[in-house]
Amino acid sequence: MDLYVKLGMLLIMAIAVDATEISEYIPRISKNMKNNITDKTFVLVQPDCIFTDFTSYNVWLVIALNNCFSTIEDSDLFPPVPYSTYNNRSLAYYHTLPLSAGQYPCSASKSSFINVIQIGSESCTENLFCNGELNNNLTYKVKFILVNSTTIIDSTHWLSNISLPKATTFQESSVWPSGRSGGMIALTSILSILLAILLVFFIAALLLGSQDICWKRTMHNEKSLAKIDFLSHSSYKSKYDHMYSVS
Ligand SMILES: *[C@@H]1O[C@H](CO)[C@@H](O)[C@H](O)[C@H]1NC(C)=O
Ligand SMILES: *[C@@H]1O[C@H](CO)[C@@H](O)[C@H](O)[C@H]1NC(C)=O
């Protein structure tokens, strides 16, 4: 008898712990992942094992503009708001990615990889629960809610302050495998080549141009350099000596 009471209490405690796990969970942006935040999307880690005891319910995501934090109550989050209502600025939030709670993973069974969710990955605009593109240069917050067919049962904390960068004119990552640094290297190479071409033209112009003018300019420069610094004078002179011996 005593044992049954104890077991019963343990069971109640276990259920209570599971229930609070949802309300204590804070959604997480995927770390160590390229493009975890772009100008249209962000990537969340799927919550682990917090919905497993609620397989008869559904889980939705609520995406909201960060600055409407105080104005959204859980009671506002049912029924679902379509993406189009957010997209035409009637409301500052919408619902997306409806799944049965049982579809969320439990790391006990899949420990070797992290499941992630990309928000904003679809190009839809009309249908309910569309996971449409987010707007660049805006700050978002997100949370998971647990619902049955008529009401909201529980919800996680908001993850706030998800700032999307301004849109870039081209998708760096798809052009250069290593992102910005690849772009910089390519730009530097192009500039070097342009400089080399300019130098060739410059030398050619000097060789073909009036030698008198060049000579006078060189003399003038040598005088002013000699006043400043002997070392730079000599290197300057030897460079131009070489050029004149060529012509
Ligand atoms: C996104 O991933 C990068 C590594 O690729 C990491 O440095 C950064 O902290 C991540 N962003 C967030 C908000 O966790
Ligand atoms: C980005 O947002 C900031 C602050 O909200 C604003 O001042 C700025 O003009 C925006 N930039 C663009 C390119 O929209």
Side-chain angles (χ1 to χ4, degrees):
M1 181 64 189
D2 216 20
L3 185 64
Y4 283 120
V5 171
K6 272 186 190 160
L7 276 177
M9 280 179 64
L10 270 179
L11 198 61
I12 289 166
M13 277 174 64
I15 288 171
V17 165
D18 278 341
T20 56
E21 258 179 26
I22 294 178
S23 57
E24 281 169 8
Y25 183 82
I26 304 171
R28 287 188 291 129
I29 298 284
S30 170
K31 298 228 183 270
N32 308 319
M33 186 182 178
K34 203 167 146 57
N35 293 335
N36 51 3
I37 299 184
T38 73
D39 58 5
K40 296 188 187 76
T41 65
F42 61 85
V43 177
L44 288 179
V45 175
Q46 285 189 13
D48 233 3
C49 281
I50 64 170
F51 300 122
T52 35
D53 292 325
F54 305 93
T55 48
S56 56
Y57 297 136
N58 287 315
V59 176
W60 302 343
L61 266 113
V62 183
I63 314 294
L65 291 178
N66 202 69
N67 57 13
C68 59
F69 193 89
S70 55
T71 58
I72 305 177
E73 301 297 332
D74 269 4
S75 53
D76 298 328
L77 298 180
F78 198 103
V81 172
Y83 174 85
S84 55
T85 308
Y86 154 82
N87 206 28
N88 67 23
R89 294 287 182 268
S90 306
L91 277 178
Y93 62 95
Y94 64 96
H95 293 71
T96 189
L97 294 173
L99 283 181
S100 130
Q103 286 175 277
Y104 276 93
C106 208
S107 63
S109 55
K110 302 178 188 175
S111 54
S112 58
F113 60 92
I114 300 169
N115 295 288
V116 297
I117 307 168
Q118 187 171 37
I119 309 298
S121 62
E122 294 174 2
S123 54
C124 54
T125 50
E126 292 312 317
N127 50 324
L128 186 62
F129 292 117
C130 144
N131 183 19
E133 291 178 350
L134 303 173
N135 298 95
N136 80 90
N137 200 31
L138 288 182
T139 303
Y140 288 90
K141 58 183 177 172
V142 61
K143 75 168 172 178
F144 296 87
I145 63 174
L146 185 72
V147 297
N148 65 14
S149 55
T150 53
T151 189
I152 175 166
I153 308 288
D154 205 348
S155 70
T156 69
H157 284 288
W158 290 105
L159 172 66
S160 307
N161 298 317
I162 307 165
S163 294
L164 305 198
K166 282 177 203 164
T168 47
T169 45
F170 66 99
Q171 203 66 39
E172 275 181 3
S173 56
S174 61
V175 179
W176 310 108
S178 53
R180 180 178 299 252
S181 57
M184 296 288 276
I185 290 164
L187 193 64
T188 311
S189 318
I190 291 167
L191 281 177
S192 311
I193 292 166
L194 283 178
L195 271 177
I197 291 169
L198 268 179
L199 192 63
V200 168
F201 274 115
F202 178 62
I203 291 169
L206 276 184
L207 296 181
L208 296 173
S210 161
Q211 287 194 8
D212 284 349
I213 291 169
C214 285
W215 174 247
K216 275 175 198 159
R217 191 184 298 142
T218 307
M219 287 302 285
H220 174 75
N221 285 346
E222 272 178 353
K223 264 185 223 157
S224 56
L225 279 165
K227 267 184 249 164
I228 300 163
D229 178 358
F230 176 71
L231 193 65
S232 60
H233 163 71
S234 58
S235 60
Y236 181 87
K237 194 174 173 227
S238 62
K239 246 190 270 170
Y240 282 82
D241 283 346
H242 173 69
M243 265 169 59
Y244 276 91
S245 70
V246 169
S247 73

